[in-house]
Amino acid sequence: MGSSNEARVEQARREVSPRKLEKQMAIASASCEVFGREGYARASVDTLAAEAGVSTRTLYNHFPGGKAELFRTVVTWTSADVRDAQLARLHALLDPERPPRPEDLERDLVALARAFVALMTEFPNHFALVRHIHAEADHVPPEVLQAWQDTGPAQVQRGMADAMTGLEKAGLLDLHGDAPMAGVHFMALISHSVVQQSHYGVRPLPKGEVDRMVTRGVAAFLRAYRAG
């Protein structure tokens, strides 16, 4: 029954007029601020509607599934933006078809790490949502969590695995038979400390401190995975 309802919602979205779609995006944009500030559980439909300047009836007209559907829309929309930025930087800085020279590998990985970490500053609303998702995952509908994973993190992880495989084929890395895990380790080593200490960018860290964490993370990754 749930899948049938979701299919009807998706079909309805494809059939909306440009004017209605513009209104939906305006509501979603305003809701992003609320969810980023209050999280999923605390954000009320009344607050979401007020932030968007619409009545609760209008909100439900555009998002029949209420708060859960609206949160899913906001999370997948912002995740797609961050995903596209991550993949663009990954392909620009670590193209499997043009692997770096051995002596440039660490430099290029540090450049990629800096570009990824900078996304927290460039997309603060999205990372505020992610912070709340991790803090209250037990309150967020499972289908919303899955939609977020499918839209953003899972696709970036596949891109990272492909990039790692390209570096291994070039003789630069030894992935020990697990390219996806190597990508996960790279992301964790370059970003975990920054994420934790900045609270997903809520409290920005000095640039020198971020650079220190990033370069040490890359160095640790290469100690584990550099070929030879």
Side-chain angles (χ1 to χ4, degrees):
M1 181 65 72
S3 297
S4 177
N5 288 338
E6 289 181 12
R8 285 197 293 271
V9 169
E10 291 300 323
Q11 180 66 25
R13 283 181 182 166
R14 287 194 291 269
E15 296 173 354
V16 299
S17 67
R19 183 176 180 181
K20 186 171 183 179
L21 182 60
E22 182 179 355
K23 189 67 174 179
Q24 287 177 342
M25 291 307 297
I27 294 172
S29 180
S31 298
C32 186
E33 297 281 345
V34 177
F35 286 129
R37 184 176 66 243
E38 300 187 15
Y40 178 77
R42 290 178 56 195
S44 69
V45 171
D46 288 342
T47 301
L48 293 164
E51 187 81 12
V54 300
S55 67
T56 56
R57 179 176 180 178
T58 297
L59 187 149
Y60 278 111
N61 284 340
H62 286 282
F63 297 93
K67 184 168 74 169
E69 182 185 349
L70 185 50
F71 190 67
R72 174 175 176 166
T73 299
V74 169
V75 168
T76 55
W77 160 43
T78 61
S79 291
D81 286 343
V82 174
R83 174 204 66 207
D84 291 347
Q86 285 180 301
L87 292 178
R89 294 174 191 199
L90 178 61
H91 295 152
L93 295 169
L94 211 62
D95 187 343
E97 301 299 320
R98 299 192 304 273
R101 297 177 301 175
E103 61 269 25
D104 294 333
L105 176 60
E106 185 165 6
R107 179 203 66 186
D108 289 357
L109 289 177
V110 168
L112 178 65
R114 286 173 175 154
F116 274 6
V117 169
L119 291 169
M120 282 194 294
T121 301
E122 296 170 31
F123 296 91
N125 288 340
H126 170 73
F127 286 98
L129 293 175
V130 173
R131 177 169 60 90
H132 284 296
I133 286 173
H134 286 303
E136 50 182 317
D138 55 334
H139 296 295
V140 179
E143 63 271 18
V144 175
L145 295 175
Q146 191 61 53
W148 164 56
Q149 285 291 329
D150 292 343
T151 302
Q155 294 192 42
V156 174
Q157 287 171 9
R158 285 194 291 270
M160 283 298 303
D162 290 343
M164 294 291 129
T165 298
L167 293 176
E168 183 174 58
K169 289 180 178 177
L172 299 173
L173 297 180
D174 177 1
L175 304 180
H176 313 296
D178 197 339
M181 184 57 67
V184 169
H185 286 164
F186 177 79
M187 294 296 290
L189 287 166
I190 66 166
S191 64
H192 179 77
S193 294
V194 179
V195 165
Q196 294 299 309
Q197 294 190 34
S198 71
H199 301 280
Y200 288 90
V202 172
R203 297 181 177 178
L205 302 173
K207 183 178 183 301
E209 182 67 7
V210 173
D211 278 347
R212 183 183 70 84
M213 295 177 185
V214 163
T215 55
R216 288 189 177 183
V218 170
F221 175 80
L222 288 175
R223 283 196 294 273
Y225 286 102
R226 192 194 289 269

